[in-house]
Amino acid sequence: MKKPELELLLIDCDRLRALCERMNRCYPCAIDAASDQPQNRLQRVKNDPLQPGPTPEDVRKNLRYLSRPFTLSHFFGPYDSAEEQLRQAIKQYRERPCVKTSTLVDLAINRAGVGDRSDEKLLQLIQEAKHLLAAKLKAKKGEKGFQADNVTGAIFKDSDFHGSSLFMNLSFGGLLTGYVNLSDFHFNDVVSSAQLTASPDEVGGRLFLFQNARFFGRYVGLDANSGQSTSLSSMDSFMNDRTSSVLIYRKSPNEISSALSSVVSTSTIKNLISSQKKLSPRGEPVLTWDLFPDGKDGHPNETGKMYIYIRIPVSVAVDHWFDYDAEIRYWIYLYIDQNGQLQASLDYYGAWVEGGLITSHVLDGLMAPDGIPSSIDQVRNLLATATSSVNMLSGPFMSVYLLPGRNEAKGNTDDDVTVVLVEGTPQPPGPIL
């Protein structure tokens, strides 16, 4: 019998009254208080004068923007034809190579590709556009620093690269781009093959396909070095017709990468939890990520940040009542300061509690000052120790970013999260497009 069913038995007034009198404690006894819905809550961490976190200048230099590069209105806009739109985009890009005109070419390619057009004339035009984007072009006027070169990916509805497709071009200067939710493009759970190419002057690129929206769940990855193409002509049952979001990355020179679990001890995290009153571990902590969260379902609203996301399953002891399953959550923002040093800021904490008669009561206790907030200083100290060790061994760094799991060919985002540091002189990075 499940806990909510057991609790409902105690709504019997006589039995509940006897229990309350015996335990000298009264929990809500109105039947309206019963609920089988879990609850979660989020709280921003207050600034610590001794560990103030990133300055506005640090945030400016580390800030990344993720926006879906294409919308349905771009695909099906008021143009004469897909061919004409693509011709005009190619013409504009030749005349003025820049981020804006390269994006226009992307849009035109996808307007043609999403319709699964197969006539030879259009296919040749698409190939011309893709070759143009990969050519080494320099800006002429008004776009300082732009130099065309790219990492490109494509996903297809059918195996062997057939059927409708979405083209992803990571133009010069961008670290990554992606699709948060393929449902917006009628591409959810239909992807059966994928390709990735890195131009000869690129260090390389990565492409990841994820089972769930917002880059969670199972994933498969493609990896290409300079001048290489790699592909998956078909997906096995692990991911076939399961893709709901996609990320494409640019590799950088002088990268150092490590799975978080190799530098952060989960036993230390469990000991920290065990030291909290009425809490005990309920399984292994989950080290994962939360990319550009949008504020929904208990997540922060920080669409410009890549977070390390730690979820710790716990059991909460409740006096004279059933234990409750819960989860403690921390969101950690990694950034490079103006001196090229890796830093870690604990930005948010939160909790999830299973549904039951006193879910709100248990959640209140976890979020109270003597609950999760009492662990903030310990977590900050652990982060400071870890980043200090990294900075002593290497650096300075230009940038830091995250990869899913252990950066393997396939896995799950709950397996781990990989931290990638790029060595070099700090400088304002290119945007995420």
Side-chain angles (χ1 to χ4, degrees), residues 62-70 99 103 106 149-153 168-180 196 202 204-208 210 214-215 245-252 255 289-293 302-307 399-404 417-418 420 422 429-433:
N62 286 268
L63 189 61
R64 302 289 194 270
Y65 295 98
L66 179 75
S67 62
R68 290 169 300 206
F70 312 115
V99 172
T103 302
D106 298 348
D149 203 16
N150 63 2
V151 177
T152 59
M168 291 157 283
N169 176 50
L170 187 51
S171 185
F172 178 82
L175 173 63
L176 67 89
T177 191
Y179 291 79
V180 173
L196 173 68
E202 292 283 356
R206 303 177 177 94
L207 179 72
F208 292 97
F210 298 90
R214 306 207 70 84
F215 324 116
S245 54
V246 183
L247 283 175
I248 183 169
Y249 285 81
R250 166 175 280 105
K251 291 183 182 179
S252 299
E255 288 186 348
W289 69 2
D290 194 1
L291 260 60
F292 319 106
E302 295 278 5
T303 55
K305 291 183 178 180
M306 307 175 81
Y307 278 107
S399 58
V400 58
Y401 64 92
L402 304 177
L403 295 173
V417 60
T418 296
V420 182
V422 182
I432 285 178
L433 301 175

Side-chain angles (χ1 to χ4, degrees), residues 69 107 125 133 218 225 236 257 275 313 327 336 347 362 375 402 409:
L107 301 177
L125 201 58
L133 289 173
R218 298 181 184 184
N225 292 323
D236 58 22
S257 63
S275 68
E327 190 175 85
I336 305 301
D347 280 9
V362 175
S375 69
L402 304 177

Side-chain angles (χ1 to χ4, degrees), residues 157-407:
K157 284 191 175 181
D158 299 331
S159 59
D160 296 319
F161 323 114
H162 294 305
S164 298
S165 64
L166 280 178
F167 173 70
M168 291 157 283
N169 176 50
L170 187 51
S171 185
F172 178 82
L175 173 63
L176 67 89
T177 191
Y179 291 79
V180 173
N181 191 341
L182 292 179
S183 292
D184 295 341
F185 313 99
H186 308 296
F187 246 77
N188 189 55
D189 291 342
V190 296
V191 177
S192 295
S193 55
Q195 294 176 326
L196 173 68
T197 300
S199 296
D201 290 312
E202 292 283 356
V203 176
R206 303 177 177 94
L207 179 72
F208 292 97
L209 287 68
F210 298 90
Q211 177 186 9
N212 301 323
R214 306 207 70 84
F215 324 116
F216 285 112
R218 298 181 184 184
Y219 70 84
V220 294
L222 291 172
D223 191 295
N225 292 323
S226 177
Q228 291 184 340
S229 292
T230 184
S231 62
L232 284 170
S233 60
S234 64
M235 309 280 183
D236 58 22
S237 59
F238 183 76
M239 278 297 289
N240 189 54
D241 291 342
R242 291 176 182 265
T243 300
S244 295
S245 54
V246 183
L247 283 175
I248 183 169
Y249 285 81
R250 166 175 280 105
K251 291 183 182 179
S252 299
N254 305 318
E255 288 186 348
I256 302 171
S257 63
S258 177
L260 185 63
S261 62
S262 66
V263 295
V264 175
S265 169
T266 55
S267 62
T268 300
I269 296 174
K270 291 171 72 174
N271 290 338
L272 186 153
I273 295 304
S274 297
S275 68
Q276 301 293 307
K277 186 178 179 182
K278 297 184 178 180
L279 295 185
S280 58
R282 186 176 50 84
E284 293 297 313
V286 176
L287 308 179
T288 183
W289 69 2
D290 194 1
L291 260 60
F292 319 106
D294 61 356
K296 297 178 181 177
D297 194 27
H299 293 255
N301 187 9
E302 295 278 5
T303 55
K305 291 183 178 180
M306 307 175 81
Y307 278 107
I308 289 175
Y309 180 30
I310 299 179
R311 302 179 0 235
I312 310 168
V314 297
S315 180
V316 183
V318 182
D319 291 341
H320 315 307
W321 203 256
F322 304 99
D323 291 351
Y324 264 62
D325 290 346
E327 190 175 85
I328 292 173
R329 301 168 172 178
Y330 299 104
W331 283 263
I332 298 164
Y333 175 51
L334 296 181
Y335 65 99
I336 305 301
D337 67 19
Q338 298 174 58
N339 297 316
Q341 300 287 292
L342 174 66
Q343 304 293 347
S345 172
L346 177 57
D347 280 9
Y348 294 89
Y349 65 89
W352 168 93
V353 178
E354 68 170 320
L357 280 177
I358 58 169
T359 297
S360 295
H361 171 84
V362 175
L363 188 56
D364 288 342
L366 287 173
M367 300 296 285
D370 61 347
I372 300 174
S374 66
S375 69
I376 296 300
D377 287 343
Q378 292 172 280
V379 175
R380 280 174 163 161
N381 289 336
L382 290 174
L383 295 175
T385 299
T387 54
S388 294
S389 298
V390 171
N391 291 323
M392 288 177 63
L393 294 174
S394 190
F397 304 108
M398 293 174 57
S399 58
V400 58
Y401 64 92
L402 304 177
L403 295 173
R406 300 185 183 94
N407 189 28

